[in-house]
Amino acid sequence: MVSFILRRILVSILILIAASFLMYVMVGYSAQPLQDLEGSNSPNKQQLIDARVALLDLDVPPPLRWVLWLGGVAKCAIPFANACDLGSTISNAQVVDILPNALAATVQLVTFALVLAILLGVTIGIITALRQYSGLDNTVTFVSFFLYSLPVFLVAVLLKEFIAIGFNDFLRDPVIGTGALVAIGIVVGAIWQSLLGGDRRRRLVVFLVSGLATSGVLLLMSATGWFMNPGLGPIPVILLVAAIALGAATLLAGLRNRRALITAGINGAIAIAAYFVLQPLFDVSSAGTLFILAIATIAVGLVSGFLAGGYDRGQNMRVGLVTALLSSAVVLVDRFMQSWGDLLAATNGRPIATVGSKTPGLSGDVWLAGLDTFVHLTLPIIALLLISFAGYTRYSRAGMLEVLSLDYIRTARAKGLPERTVIVRHAFRNMLIPLTTLVAFDVGALLGGAIITERIFAIPGMGSLFNAGLFRGDLNPVMGYFLIVAAMAITFNFLADMAYAGLDPRVRIR
Amino acid sequence: MSIRGKLFRKSLSGVAVLGVAALALTACTTTGSTDTNTDTASSGGTITVAVVNDFTSFNNQTPQANLDTNGQVGYLMGNYGSAFSYIDNEFNIVREEGFGTFEKTSDDPQTVTYTLNPENKWSDGEPVTADDMVLAWAIGAGYYNDSTVDADSGEVTTGTTYFEIAASTAGLDTTTFPEISEDNMSMTLVYGTPYVDWELVNPIAQPAHIVAKKAGLGSATELTELLQSLPKGDAANPVAADPTLKAAADFVNTGYDVTAFPTDPDLLVSSGPMVPTGWTPGQSFTLERNEFYVGGMIPKVDKVILRVIPDANAQVTALQNGEVDIINPQASADTLTALENTGADVLTGDQVSYDHLDLRFDQPVFADLAVRQAFLKTVPRQQILDSIVTPVNPDANVLNSQIWVPANAPYDDSVANNGSSAYDEVDIEGALELLAGATPSVRILYNTNNPNRVDEFQAIQESAAKAGITVVDAGSPDWSSLLEGGDYDASLFGWISPGVGSTGIAQIFSTDGGGNYNQYQGTNDDAILTQTTLDPDKLIEIEKRMDKQMFEDAYGLPLFQAPGVFGVSKRVSGVEYMGNQTGPFWNFWDWSVNE
């Protein structure tokens, strides 16, 4: 095992060096960093060219310049010396200084998109697998292939037009028209009836109830000016938390498991109590406070599950954790919504943004800042999400169907296990194994692959750095980008191999 | 008892954990400020302008930082193109007498005196004095440089280059050390040879007291004394570098280059109407009104925010969504259509860059005037304009002068007389007649990565073929390095006309000018003469003569000015079109928010 890891690391480093050489030489020969000066009619053109040649060592041919560059990179290996030298850009900014900003912007964008894509994609994939060849399955298959085939720039433009500009225009007079209410009701009803399935009568009831409920709630929201002054309020919070507790217990342990129900109930109750008690603390919260509260939430979830006891404490702890996290999320969402009015005031009543990742000059507490980040990143995240989540639905649907057709699942069913246990315990876990590879690839690819999204939404991330560098013939930032992205790709592939061995006992690493 | 003790200990430790947690929690809270909004109390409001490139340096006059956004910030901060005078959108030099005055007191030797308004202060409260002007002069004139540069590596081989600047030292390099008045408020420059663009010299750059501090000196006066004590540099006899001046120069050269908003307030000191107050790299740059500024460019708005949006369509949607108020995207027909659909005000006009076709006089194919004329007669200039520019700027016309753009006053008069009318229409008959049966072959160099140039090339190729001229594609993505000494007969590329000033003329149209890739010699004497002509009327006369001469010699043809487009939100008024690099910022003091 250790020798395998050492070998892999050594090989990875060699691959990285060789790839960097190829990249450096190819970009070095094709880039024209002097183009803007050579075509200039400035009287001191030659002097400017000399200055740039001296700054970037352009008189050294690219293969030799790569050696110089590698020498600077090698200094990064010296621990704690802070001697990293990745060269400078044409405008004399050290690449080491600009990389962290770019990396942070991309990570912020990509993490959310990736996590959401995995959660949504896997969930929808499983549901469609369980309802194979139903109307829902066919619709989701159609929609996901449709999204998969859309170019990101088109998605981005549509999102900007409808979600940002359209929604902001809507906010000027936030009343939903009757036609829209009916249409939304019909669509939502259709989705729910196909989700829940059953005979014709049951479907009709589900359709009517869910459709009318949705339209009714929207009507209420629009009548009470909810969109200008949103919030959940005590009763919806209690209802939502109760639903979450019930849902978590049902899904993870089954309603017959009393200990799990108790755990979920305790966590739900604590969340509701926290909603009422912690509001004054929230008003003075910083990011640190929220971090501590998050740790406390996790601890409460796990400890309550453990204390509830029973023969399967692990299961209880899972139920406790999921309930605690989801219901505290409800409480947080409610608090974030309370800052909506401040955000509307700071953005001239047009909160959903189409560019950047924060409103310039906005200063406020953690809630306002968080909401501001949310309204800025919503569109790019949806754009990335719509395209990458389609893949996950396909993989997880196929994986689930394959696992469900295996012998051990039939055995499990034959020995009388409830369907919930068969799906959640036996099928779901094994289905996840192939997905680890996919996730690992995606992390590497997304870090470098958001070039177009970043450009369209003006987010100064890794993709922008690469794009701007390539456009100006600026080799060093391009190589900085390459170094990070290549290292990430190699690392995550390595991690995927390790995880595979950990998850699947049939796979051995030597 | 032991059980009770255990329980007690356990609960005690539980209480301790809770206590620590509560303590940590309180430590991590804020004071609960209610002041969450952006500053909406002040009167003038905020205007947000979209820019394409990010900001990189507070000193835009170095070779590495000479970029559009840096220049625009410099314009607002008063260290570039906006102290004693600015350039308006008709390319007139407008004097800014609230800041200071300057006048030419003698023609022989040319003597110019700059006098500051004594009320002027830097944004840190220090007065603006002649020390600051002397520093700006020292930077701009390269007076102390005694370096020789290796042509290959660009490294200095002997001597020292102190201040590295993007602009040329030409003009100021003939001045002697300036004379400073008793009250330290005015400076007099004496030129060794007359300098035509003396009105463009704007001797305010970095604050001398800050530069002195960074160089380890006590005050701006000490810096001036140091400069006074040092001899003029002589590249033939280099001397050891002065360490203090070198330190000052190093600070000016690279000390202003930043990758994050500086924690050192010294870098933010400005003499102009606005001071920088915030920068989120890659996203936005904020400037606010400078309370110490006493000149006439006082902005009506409190805050100007530059928002970095590289993509043209993203700029349009951001304008539509109210995130920015003014955009100046790269102009294309698609952008214009999208912009018109947003309901914002759309301003179109010409940019100062223009495309032109030049013929090389040292190539055998163009040795004969008749061949040059015949080839130029086939160039479909109107067709090129209609396909590239008219969709964006419907008012655009073919450019008919090698010297001026239509915004310049002498343009119309010169075009009427310079003989450009011979090339107004494609004249295949005339070309065939001039060629008298010859079928020359012309290689045209152009940038194959620029779709406009490709279109131009194809239009010319097609039209020339009708007259029996074979146009060979010598285009290359490396076109710029091939301009000098490449294998071609004609070139298609763009110049950026400064719009104002005459130094570019010698650069392009004199025999030894660095931009004369055509070995053209017909206007050499006049081009050199322009550089020392101080009488504006006489200057225009010479330039008209050159313009005419070039069309007579069939030097080449100017094609068109690149189109430019601004989009302006309805909530803002006072924005006017400007075609040079300053862009919409040129009259920022006229902007106001309608509310």
Side-chain angles (χ1 to χ4, degrees):
Chain A
M1 184 81 168
V2 174
S3 84
F4 168 79
I5 295 175
L6 287 179
R7 249 185 305 143
R8 266 304 281 269
I9 291 176
L10 192 71
V11 170
S12 300
I13 292 174
L14 290 180
I15 290 176
L16 203 56
I17 292 177
S20 81
F21 176 75
L22 282 179
M23 181 84 176
Y24 199 99
V25 171
M26 283 194 292
V27 179
Y29 276 116
S30 61
Q32 291 145 11
L34 295 175
Q35 182 152 347
D36 56 326
L37 297 179
E38 283 167 340
S40 133
N41 50 350
S42 162
N44 60 335
K45 190 179 78 176
Q46 193 53 47
Q47 183 203 333
L48 297 180
I49 291 176
D50 289 345
R52 191 171 293 172
V53 167
L55 177 70
L56 300 175
D57 291 326
L58 295 177
D59 51 324
V60 184
L64 293 179
R65 224 184 315 148
W66 172 77
V67 177
L68 295 179
W69 176 81
L70 196 66
V73 177
K75 288 189 209 151
C76 298
I78 309 169
F80 308 115
N82 211 3
C84 244
D85 179 15
L86 300 182
S88 73
T89 66
I90 286 183
S91 23
N92 193 31
Q94 290 298 314
V95 174
V96 183
D97 293 335
I98 55 177
L99 261 185
N101 282 337
L103 193 60
T106 295
V107 165
Q108 188 186 31
L109 178 67
V110 164
T111 318
F112 281 117
L114 188 71
V115 169
L116 282 176
I118 293 171
L119 284 181
L120 275 178
V122 170
T123 315
I124 292 180
I126 291 173
I127 292 172
T128 50
L130 297 179
R131 297 262 180 282
Q132 199 186 3
Y133 303 137
S134 65
L136 177 81
D137 183 26
N138 290 333
T139 315
V140 168
T141 307
F142 172 76
V143 170
S144 59
F145 274 115
F146 178 68
L147 294 175
Y148 206 54
S149 62
L150 280 183
V152 69
F153 58 84
L154 180 64
V155 175
V157 169
L158 293 177
L159 286 174
K160 283 184 178 189
E161 189 60 39
F162 293 107
I163 298 196
I165 296 173
F167 184 73
N168 287 337
D169 286 346
F170 163 75
L171 279 185
R172 244 185 278 153
D173 180 25
V175 175
I176 308 176
T178 323
L181 275 179
V182 173
I184 294 171
I186 290 176
V187 170
V188 172
I191 293 174
W192 276 109
Q193 63 83 18
S194 111
L195 263 177
L196 294 179
D199 60 18
R200 190 165 293 184
R201 220 186 117 208
R202 186 177 138 155
R203 279 170 182 264
L204 189 68
V205 170
V206 169
F207 175 77
L208 285 178
V209 169
S210 58
L212 283 177
T214 311
S215 298
V217 168
L218 284 177
L219 186 66
L220 193 69
M221 284 158 80
S222 131
T224 53
W226 190 86
F227 293 103
M228 297 306 282
N229 194 9
L232 292 176
I235 294 168
V237 166
I238 292 174
L239 288 179
L240 273 174
V241 169
I244 286 169
L246 205 62
T250 318
L251 199 63
L252 295 175
L255 276 178
R256 264 176 292 177
N257 187 332
R258 276 189 47 223
R259 305 232 177 225
L261 265 181
I262 291 170
T263 316
I266 290 174
N267 282 293
I270 293 178
I272 291 168
Y275 167 73
F276 289 106
V277 176
L278 291 185
Q279 292 296 336
L281 175 68
F282 284 158
D283 288 343
V284 293
S285 285
S286 68
T289 326
L290 295 190
F291 180 72
I292 293 174
L293 286 178
I295 303 260
T297 309
I298 292 172
V300 166
L302 292 177
V303 169
S304 62
F306 181 80
L307 291 182
Y311 62 87
D312 194 350
R313 283 192 155 147
Q315 191 182 51
N316 282 346
M317 286 163 78
R318 278 200 297 280
V319 171
L321 186 65
V322 169
T323 317
L325 285 179
L326 290 182
S327 46
S328 60
V330 169
V331 176
L332 283 187
V333 165
D334 177 76
R335 182 59 188 82
F336 272 115
M337 283 180 172
Q338 292 172 28
S339 290
W340 185 250
D342 289 337
L343 186 71
L344 281 179
T347 53
N348 293 328
R350 301 188 68 87
I352 309 287
T354 61
V355 286
S357 64
K358 61 185 279 201
T359 304
L362 180 81
S363 62
D365 56 14
V366 61
W367 307 104
L368 185 59
L371 206 57
D372 187 50
T373 311
F374 170 76
V375 294
H376 277 87
L377 293 185
T378 305
L379 295 194
I381 285 179
I382 294 177
L384 284 177
L385 178 68
L386 283 183
I387 287 158
S388 59
F389 118 103
Y392 285 107
T393 63
R394 298 298 86 204
Y395 278 104
S396 60
R397 179 176 177 274
M400 195 69 183
L401 286 175
E402 192 196 332
V403 171
L404 281 180
S405 68
L406 291 179
D407 284 347
Y408 78 92
I409 294 289
R410 194 173 40 190
T411 314
R413 282 189 176 137
K415 75 181 180 192
L417 285 180
E419 186 65 11
R420 191 200 60 74
T421 317
V422 174
I423 303 288
V424 176
R425 281 225 148 163
H426 298 280
F428 176 63
R429 291 185 178 183
N430 286 305
M431 181 213 87
L432 285 181
I433 296 175
L435 278 182
T436 46
T437 329
L438 197 65
V439 171
F441 277 139
D442 266 15
V443 172
L446 270 176
L447 272 182
I451 296 176
I452 298 170
T453 316
E454 282 178 8
R455 180 171 170 88
I456 297 177
F457 290 103
I459 289 170
M462 298 293 283
S464 302
L465 187 75
F466 174 74
N467 199 18
L470 210 56
F471 188 73
R472 279 189 82 182
D474 202 352
L475 189 49
N476 287 328
V478 171
M479 290 311 293
Y481 163 89
F482 168 83
L483 206 59
I484 299 281
V485 171
M488 284 292 168
I490 290 176
T491 312
F492 275 92
N493 278 328
F494 175 55
L495 288 181
D497 285 355
M498 302 295 293
Y500 222 91
L503 289 173
D504 189 344
R506 289 167 299 184
V507 177
R508 277 267 200 82
I509 288 175
R510 300 161 194 266
Chain B
M1 191 63 201
S2 70
I3 294 170
R4 281 193 57 141
K6 210 170 157 188
L7 252 179
F8 179 71
R9 274 203 303 278
K10 266 196 172 172
S11 46
L12 198 67
S13 57
V15 169
V17 167
L18 273 180
V20 169
L23 208 67
L25 212 54
T26 36
C28 276
T29 55
T30 60
T31 47
S33 76
T34 48
D35 173 34
T36 46
N37 293 347
T38 45
D39 204 2
T40 44
S42 33
S43 53
T46 301
I47 287 184
T48 310
V49 187
V51 294
V52 171
N53 296 310
D54 197 10
F55 175 81
T56 68
S57 175
F58 289 97
N59 179 7
N60 61 79
Q61 285 300 291
T62 60
Q64 77 273 15
N66 186 22
L67 303 166
D68 51 0
T69 305
N70 296 340
Q72 288 162 342
V73 169
Y75 188 73
L76 297 168
M77 285 176 68
N79 60 30
Y80 171 61
S82 59
F84 283 94
S85 64
Y86 66 91
I87 295 168
D88 73 5
N89 61 344
E90 285 165 341
F91 301 108
N92 300 310
I93 299 171
V94 183
R95 297 188 177 210
E96 183 40 66
E97 309 216 320
F99 184 88
T101 56
F102 63 104
E103 57 176 337
K104 187 170 64 174
T105 52
S106 156
D107 270 353
D108 188 25
Q110 186 184 3
T111 309
V112 184
T113 303
Y114 296 85
T115 310
L116 287 162
N117 176 350
E119 303 289 309
N120 264 327
K121 287 193 172 68
W122 292 94
S123 61
D124 60 354
E126 294 288 319
V128 181
T129 63
D131 298 322
D132 298 306
M133 296 200 282
V134 170
L135 174 65
W137 164 84
I139 295 171
Y143 187 79
Y144 302 100
N145 296 347
D146 53 8
S147 55
T148 311
V149 176
D150 178 55
D152 280 340
S153 67
E155 312 274 352
V156 173
T157 46
T158 58
T160 318
T161 304
Y162 290 97
F163 298 101
E164 311 233 6
I165 54 169
S168 162
T169 57
L172 279 180
D173 59 353
T174 67
T175 51
T176 50
F177 192 87
E179 199 178 299
I180 302 163
S181 70
E182 285 285 307
D183 61 358
N184 206 21
M185 280 296 146
S186 69
M187 171 180 93
T188 304
L189 283 180
V190 180
Y191 289 86
T193 51
Y195 178 49
V196 59
D197 284 342
W198 61 274
E199 282 181 292
L200 289 174
V201 175
N202 222 338
I204 283 293
Q206 281 65 43
H209 63 283
I210 299 292
V211 175
K213 182 171 148 191
K214 300 290 177 184
L217 294 171
S219 69
T221 324
E222 283 181 35
L223 181 64
T224 306
E225 279 162 7
L226 172 75
L227 292 173
Q228 214 153 9
S229 71
L230 293 172
K232 183 175 166 68
D234 178 6
N237 301 303
V239 293
D242 178 76
T244 317
L245 182 60
K246 186 75 184 129
D250 286 345
F251 169 68
V252 172
N253 291 343
T254 57
Y256 283 97
D257 295 351
V258 286
T259 53
F261 194 68
T263 46
D264 177 2
D266 289 346
L267 297 187
L268 308 176
V269 175
S270 92
S271 64
M274 307 211 87
V275 279
T277 55
W279 178 37
T280 310
Q283 299 214 30
S284 63
F285 191 94
T286 311
L287 296 115
E288 288 177 33
R289 205 185 282 158
N290 176 6
E291 299 303 331
F292 291 97
Y293 179 72
V294 296
M297 304 166 133
I298 297 174
K300 292 179 183 152
V301 294
D302 301 315
K303 225 189 238 186
V304 171
I305 297 175
L306 279 65
R307 196 88 199 258
V308 183
I309 308 176
D311 188 67
N313 284 321
Q315 288 199 4
V316 175
T317 36
L319 178 75
Q320 192 179 1
N321 197 27
E323 287 165 85
V324 295
D325 303 309
I326 304 171
I327 63 170
N328 176 18
Q330 191 169 22
S332 74
D334 293 344
T335 312
L336 188 71
T337 316
L339 195 52
E340 274 163 355
N341 291 337
T342 62
D345 292 327
V346 180
L347 312 176
T348 54
D350 299 319
Q351 289 188 44
V352 285
S353 62
Y354 63 97
D355 279 21
H356 53 96
L357 172 71
D358 289 351
L359 310 183
R360 268 178 69 171
F361 283 67
D362 57 339
Q363 294 292 4
V365 60
F366 285 137
D368 182 5
L369 173 68
V371 176
R372 294 201 297 270
Q373 282 174 333
F375 177 56
L376 293 186
K377 274 183 184 299
T378 66
V379 176
R381 294 200 294 161
Q382 188 64 43
Q383 181 198 332
I384 292 172
L385 181 88
D386 288 343
S387 68
I388 296 175
V389 185
T390 315
V392 185
N393 180 9
D395 304 328
N397 289 310
V398 168
L399 187 65
N400 274 322
S401 165
Q402 298 277 12
I403 308 264
W404 287 290
V405 293
N408 297 130
Y411 176 83
D412 289 331
D413 202 25
S414 182
V415 167
N417 300 312
N418 66 6
S420 59
S421 55
Y423 305 102
D424 278 350
E425 306 277 331
V426 176
D427 182 6
I428 302 293
E429 302 288 310
L432 285 168
E433 209 169 293
L434 283 166
L435 287 171
T439 52
S441 166
V442 176
R443 294 161 297 172
I444 299 187
L445 175 72
Y446 65 99
N447 180 4
T448 45
N449 283 343
N450 182 332
N452 284 352
R453 302 273 155 73
V454 176
D455 289 351
E456 290 162 27
F457 170 78
Q458 284 168 348
I460 292 171
Q461 188 179 39
E462 200 177 302
S463 176
K466 291 181 195 153
I469 301 173
T470 316
V471 172
V472 179
D473 188 342
S476 160
D478 287 325
W479 66 279
S480 62
S481 54
L482 297 172
L483 275 173
E484 188 115 44
D487 230 5
Y488 66 97
D489 306 314
S491 55
L492 262 178
F493 63 106
W495 285 134
I496 296 174
S497 157
V500 53
S502 304
T503 38
I505 288 178
Q507 177 67 10
I508 305 178
F509 303 120
S510 71
T511 303
D512 296 327
N516 185 356
Y517 304 113
N518 314 311
Q519 311 303 320
Y520 177 60
Q521 302 175 357
T523 52
N524 182 47
D525 298 346
D526 276 345
I528 290 171
L529 187 57
T530 54
Q531 300 305 296
T532 54
T533 304
L534 297 178
D535 178 356
D537 295 333
K538 218 167 171 185
L539 180 65
I540 289 172
E541 200 180 299
I542 301 169
E543 289 173 338
K544 278 182 182 166
R545 200 159 68 209
M546 289 175 63
D547 207 10
K548 192 166 179 207
Q549 182 70 43
M550 283 187 270
F551 279 100
E552 260 169 34
D553 293 340
Y555 166 84
L557 285 176
L559 299 174
F560 59 82
Q561 285 179 277
V565 59
F566 290 3
V568 183
S569 155
K570 294 275 189 222
R571 79 179 263 280
V572 170
S573 48
V575 181
E576 284 182 53
Y577 184 81
M578 167 60 143
N580 78 1
Q581 281 220 348
T582 317
F585 291 95
W586 78 273
N587 68 339
F588 63 89
W589 55 90
D590 285 336
W591 298 349
S592 62
V593 177
N594 324 318
E595 247 154 4

